[in-house]
Amino acid sequence: MKNTNILVSGASIGGPALAHWLTRYGFNVTVVEKAPALRLGGQAVDFKGETHRTVLTRMGILEDVKALQTGGADQEIVDANGHSLAVIPGAFTGGDIEIRRGDLTRLLYERTAPYCEYLFGDSITSLTETPSGVHVTFERSAPRTFDLVVGADGIHSNVRRLAFGPEADYVKFLGHYYALVDVPATFGAVPRMYNEPGRMAAVGGPKAPAFFVFASERLDYDRYDMRQQKDILARAYAGMGWKVPAVMEEVRRSQDVYLDSISKVTIDRYSQGRVVLLGDSAYGNTLGGFGTGLAMVGAYVLAGELASAGGDHRVAFAQYEAQMRGYAKVADSGNAGPFLAPGTPARLRMRNWMFKYSFLLGLMMKLTDKFATDITLKSY
């Protein structure tokens, strides 16, 4: 086996999942994460179909994931007076198994931390490829050389920027922003969603954070400045009805706010020399409903191909891309923004009608199931 010393950037889902497989195959793994600790918040994520279940089973974590699942509660769409307009079934939003992102992150970290190195509160500042490896400098840690580097650091991937080029070359803004805000559980036990054209606010139920989606021109702000993010939300939701004014008061007091664009990644290759991209950094589409499954399947395939190729990255990366390119095509076409925050009253009514008529909903769910299983998994 060659190229056994691997650096992975990103400790959310794809990075630790890859670390799980690589350490099982005998690779030495270091995971670097910009955040000072695990990011345990965020919205719920889900798994759909036999492919996802197979990966979880082969990892040995299916039962652990099931034990942590949220249950996929139904969500009401309400009008300004709180009257129900439609119900979004939990099976639609939660797939076969729904779990909080933070719970999944913690589970994957606990399974891998004894076997690999985690560097929290640090980030890669440069990548310089040599004939025998990649020389890496960090914000805090001393420089080191690794055989291979994996970018599993999201749509705004630092590794992709350093190895492939500017984010603007690969990430397309889709005309909407979303926000997750930790607020007190004072808005009812049933998840409820309220819309006005181009704006959506959702609260309640077991998922904890308030959830917002709104149409917007591209915004210039610091993604790590919570005050700026609160100001943006306050302007975007000024004058909105239902319980939104009370929710925005809680947003103002919250210490956990995350605001980002709805965007998708379009890239013509997943690897560049000894550097390869995994998950959202390679095939991300914000709120597209497939990100977690794509990351978990991608980690399984990438690690399996590296092991099968004896660490030969040229062979492994080509095989990884050949398998994932078709499977990840689902991330090329969708845009969750107009679905969650339709721009006109007519489009709002059409979206709500879909949940009133079971045959329309059934067709959409069959389509998502097909996408989730559209790959033949090798047994590595």
Side-chain angles (χ1 to χ4, degrees), residues 119-138:
L119 301 175
F120 287 102
D122 208 347
S123 183
I124 299 169
T125 54
S126 72
L127 298 170
T128 304
E129 184 165 340
T130 69
S132 59
V134 183
H135 183 71
V136 182
T137 61
F138 299 91

Side-chain angles (χ1 to χ4, degrees), residues 1-6 22-23 25-29 303 306-307 310-311:
M1 184 83 75
K2 57 184 178 181
N3 295 328
T4 58
N5 191 24
I6 298 179
L22 289 175
T23 54
Y25 296 137
F27 293 88
N28 302 312
V29 180
L306 278 167

Side-chain angles (χ1 to χ4, degrees), residues 107 160 172 182 185 244:
L107 174 62
R160 188 187 59 229
K172 180 181 179 181
D182 192 13
V244 174

